[in-house]
Amino acid sequence: MNSSRFDYLIVGAGSAGCVVANRLSADPKVTVCLIEAGGDDKSPWVKIPAGIFGLYGNKKYDYTFQGVPQKHLNNRVITVNRGKGLGGSSSINSMVYIRGNKNDYDGWAALGCEGWSYQDVLPIFKDLECNLAGQSPEYHGFKGELNVVNPQDINELARTFVKAGAAAGLPENHDFNAESQFGLGIYNVTQDEGVRVSSYSAFVEPVQQRPNLTVLTHTEVFKLQIEADRVTGLEIEHAGVRSVLQCKREVILSAGAIASPRILLASGIGHRDELQALGLECKQDLPGVGENLQDHIDSMVTVRSPKPVSIGISWATLLPHILPAPFKYYLQRKGWWTTNYVEAGGFAKTSYAQAAPTGRAEADPDVQFHFTPIFRSYRGRKLEMGHGYSLFTCVLRPQSKGTVKLANDGTFKNVLIDHNFFSDEQDQKLLIEAVKKAREVLASSEFDAVRGEEMAPTPAIQTDEQILAYLRQTASTVYHPVGTCKMGIDELAVVNPWDLKVKGMQNLRVMDASIMPNLISGNTSAPSMMIGEKGARMILAEGQGS
């Protein structure tokens, strides 16, 4: 690091932060520093799609936050997996490219977030995208940095799953990011010839030689230095040594829905009474910091198979698949190493989604499927021997909301993450119906040739009460936390929709999934990149980038 003074300090090299760093550093007259608490992305675990099996729970790449006991889920503690390293969660996720439902963004606009409607954000998604899947230019872009492709070598069970949708009234959908999400299909992924494309590899790595761009790794931001309504610098820690980075223009928090509110709270921006109870001086009284946590709660149906068609470890797959996998991958970009494990999925409507809202032709899907051609453990193990397939189903627009709070341990570095899952009874009812819908799909005759015993929930679990008990014991997160620094115009809003500045602050913005007022209907990586792009445009439009 040649200087400790920069025009722009960006905290977090994840889905949004890397886009912001690219756009701001395009102006050679400004200096930009991108700060990441984790390390680099050079590991083959990151580059090879199937490597995600070794990333979740690996503390080198995953924060593995532990939530507080969930009182509506039998007091279970749920691990909150978040990416730690260049690319953030886009370096450890399943690479599924989903933008969400167009009505999600129109819903944001209806809440007072003017400029965030679907028609406002669609051009931004298109500008970021390099679509190589042959999809419609009405909905897709072809000149952006983010590769969007079809999976490299699709497992035949993924195609079986798509065909099985017909029995449940779910048509094949070739593009979940076009006119409608409804139906089943093969997911688009962010890859380049079988190699993961993260936000870092797409937006920062190609421009990392810019002399005005500094990327710091293994550097944790402790808190902001604040004078009146301006941020003057960041207190950081690297290799156990504390120092200060000085800010000449702006600080942008892109640390995600867990870390961005943590940094604000540690800096004295939050609910005055709660800060004072922790012994912190309140610099800005914003009760919404750390509130409004939303995430997709998820269930699983898993079935054993007597045939070695799925991805799995057995004598039958040793010679044709397991041993040749590295050679197939490096020589042909084929084989099991190319899988992201959730090659197929889709969107369905439960009985609660039958009535269309006023002004709409039909109701939106209310559950999402992630199909894996793997026998996922019904006992909580990371790996099960043998073969089978699993269908994960989540509530797309949960009503339950939680919090991210500072732990009262004197460090101001640790957080209490409370998803508060199932606090709203509607989420319970909807996920029960989602399990039934998943079973309906898996009951299709398309699976007859590979069908074995249902290991979870098991055939013995049939009534709503039994399914709910199963969900309380097993339901988890799909790793899509949002909303803890939400934009808006109400009393719990943290940032302004028109500039993403923290309310009451002159030069502090938040640009990541934490600003979402409501969770979008789908995976959150691509929407986070959109937020980074839109936020960077806001800065440039103010004339501060020149």
Side-chain angles (χ1 to χ4, degrees):
M1 182 167 59
N2 298 323
S3 171
S4 61
R5 287 174 56 83
F6 297 90
D7 290 306
Y8 296 103
L9 298 172
I10 304 166
V11 182
S15 293
C18 287
V19 178
V20 179
N22 176 299
R23 302 313 191 227
L24 296 184
S25 65
D27 181 351
K29 296 189 291 293
V30 301
T31 54
V32 178
C33 183
L34 179 63
I35 306 156
E36 172 55 43
D40 62 39
D41 68 337
K42 303 306 180 186
S43 167
W45 289 115
V46 174
K47 302 298 185 182
I48 299 168
I52 59 177
F53 195 83
L55 295 174
Y56 282 106
N58 183 332
K59 293 190 176 182
K60 183 177 180 180
Y61 305 103
D62 180 357
Y63 280 102
T64 63
F65 294 113
Q66 299 299 298
V68 304
Q70 294 297 286
K71 59 184 178 181
H72 303 289
L73 298 180
N74 296 348
N75 287 316
R76 287 186 295 120
V77 170
I78 292 177
T79 300
V80 183
N81 303 98
R82 306 311 300 148
K84 184 180 182 182
L86 294 175
S89 293
S90 74
S91 285
I92 72 168
N93 67 4
S94 296
M95 296 155 277
V96 175
Y97 181 78
I98 293 287
R99 300 172 181 167
N101 192 296
K102 60 185 178 182
N103 292 320
D104 296 332
Y105 300 103
D106 289 342
W108 292 4
L111 291 173
C113 299
E114 186 177 347
W116 291 87
S117 72
Y118 180 68
Q119 290 304 316
D120 292 317
V121 302
L122 177 59
I124 299 175
F125 278 116
K126 292 170 68 173
D127 287 347
L128 292 171
E129 182 185 9
C130 179
N131 188 283
L132 300 175
Q135 293 170 317
S136 169
E138 182 179 356
Y139 296 99
H140 295 278
F142 305 92
K143 297 181 180 180
E145 296 96 331
L146 185 69
N147 269 35
V148 175
V149 302
N150 293 317
Q152 195 79 359
D153 191 4
I154 300 168
N155 184 277
E156 65 179 89
L157 277 185
R159 300 193 189 279
T160 299
F161 167 75
V162 176
K163 294 176 184 176
L170 295 170
E172 182 170 1
N173 189 330
H174 296 281
D175 188 354
F176 296 117
N177 298 300
E179 179 63 25
S180 172
Q181 289 184 311
F182 186 63
L184 307 184
I186 303 299
Y187 281 134
N188 291 146
V189 292
T190 52
Q191 295 179 11
D192 181 10
E193 296 183 345
V195 177
R196 174 192 293 276
V197 174
S198 70
S199 188
Y200 174 77
S201 65
F203 297 100
V204 173
E205 194 170 34
V207 301
Q208 62 185 350
Q209 298 306 317
R210 287 175 177 170
N212 63 328
L213 174 61
T214 299
V215 179
L216 302 180
T217 57
H218 301 291
T219 303
E220 184 175 5
V221 173
F222 182 58
K223 68 176 182 178
L224 312 168
Q225 289 192 331
I226 297 174
E227 292 181 7
D229 61 355
R230 294 189 63 84
V231 178
T232 60
L234 299 177
E235 294 185 22
I236 63 170
E237 186 175 296
H238 176 79
V241 177
R242 288 278 185 92
S243 61
V244 174
L245 293 177
Q246 294 181 316
C247 167
K248 292 194 284 184
R249 292 193 180 185
E250 294 197 24
V251 169
I252 298 100
L253 294 183
S254 296
I258 307 301
S260 285
R262 198 280 300 166
I263 293 169
L264 290 177
L265 292 169
S267 308
I269 299 176
H271 193 294
R272 182 182 301 276
D273 294 342
E274 294 182 3
L275 292 172
Q276 291 177 345
L278 292 169
L280 287 167
E281 178 188 356
C282 180
K283 301 296 182 69
Q284 286 291 340
D285 185 13
L286 289 178
V289 176
E291 299 292 327
N292 194 49
L293 174 63
Q294 299 166 53
D295 201 343
H296 292 129
I297 187 168
D298 188 64
S299 67
M300 177 184 74
V301 177
T302 188
V303 181
R304 271 209 180 275
S305 175
K307 295 187 178 180
V309 179
S310 69
I311 297 171
I313 299 176
S314 67
W315 288 111
T317 56
L318 186 63
L319 291 178
H321 295 292
I322 297 174
L323 293 180
F327 303 100
K328 286 183 178 180
Y329 179 77
Y330 285 112
L331 296 176
Q332 302 174 309
R333 289 294 192 260
K334 298 289 184 181
W336 283 4
W337 280 22
T338 67
T339 186
N340 67 335
Y341 300 109
V342 286
E343 296 164 358
F347 298 83
K349 303 175 187 179
T350 70
S351 57
Y352 293 103
Q354 296 310 305
T358 303
R360 297 185 195 168
E362 60 180 355
D364 292 327
D366 54 358
V367 297
Q368 181 180 6
F369 291 128
H370 291 88
F371 177 80
T372 63
I374 304 170
F375 179 58
R376 294 295 294 266
S377 178
Y378 58 100
R379 298 179 283 195
R381 295 178 179 178
K382 190 162 187 177
L383 178 67
E384 288 275 357
M385 303 294 288
H387 295 273
Y389 44 93
S390 308
L391 185 53
F392 292 82
T393 314
C394 72
V395 176
L396 278 177
R397 292 176 294 280
Q399 300 302 303
S400 302
K401 296 181 180 181
T403 57
V404 173
K405 302 286 187 181
L406 280 181
N408 192 7
D409 59 5
T411 68
F412 308 119
K413 294 172 66 172
N414 298 317
V415 288
L416 302 174
I417 304 169
D418 184 3
H419 282 94
N420 202 21
F421 281 137
F422 272 4
S423 58
D424 192 295
E425 189 176 341
Q426 183 66 16
D427 295 345
Q428 302 174 23
K429 294 177 179 178
L430 211 161
L431 198 52
I432 291 170
E433 294 302 310
V435 170
K436 295 176 184 178
K437 181 62 72 172
R439 280 174 155 172
E440 185 181 355
V441 174
L442 297 181
S444 165
S445 60
E446 297 288 344
F447 282 101
D448 285 353
V450 294
R451 190 186 314 281
E453 182 182 359
E454 181 187 285
M455 304 302 293
T458 76
I461 294 177
Q462 295 294 332
T463 68
D464 287 5
E465 292 76 13
Q466 291 170 332
I467 295 173
L468 180 58
Y470 164 74
L471 294 174
R472 291 193 192 280
Q473 189 57 36
T474 61
S476 190
T477 164
V478 193
Y479 321 117
H480 298 155
V482 309
T484 49
C485 302
K486 78 169 188 172
M487 62 177 169
I489 56 175
D490 64 288
E491 65 277 1
L492 289 181
V494 176
V495 300
N496 302 315
W498 54 88
D499 59 11
L500 299 186
K501 287 183 179 179
V502 174
K503 292 179 181 293
M505 300 296 295
Q506 290 294 318
N507 65 336
L508 174 61
R509 309 194 201 218
V510 182
M511 299 178 187
D512 56 31
S514 72
I515 72 157
M516 295 185 186
N518 284 325
L519 181 57
I520 58 102
S521 304
N523 309 69
T524 51
S525 183
S528 296
M529 295 180 196
M530 178 276 292
I531 289 169
E533 174 72 20
K534 188 169 175 64
R537 292 181 184 186
M538 290 173 175
I539 293 177
L540 297 174
E542 289 182 10
Q544 297 178 5
S546 60

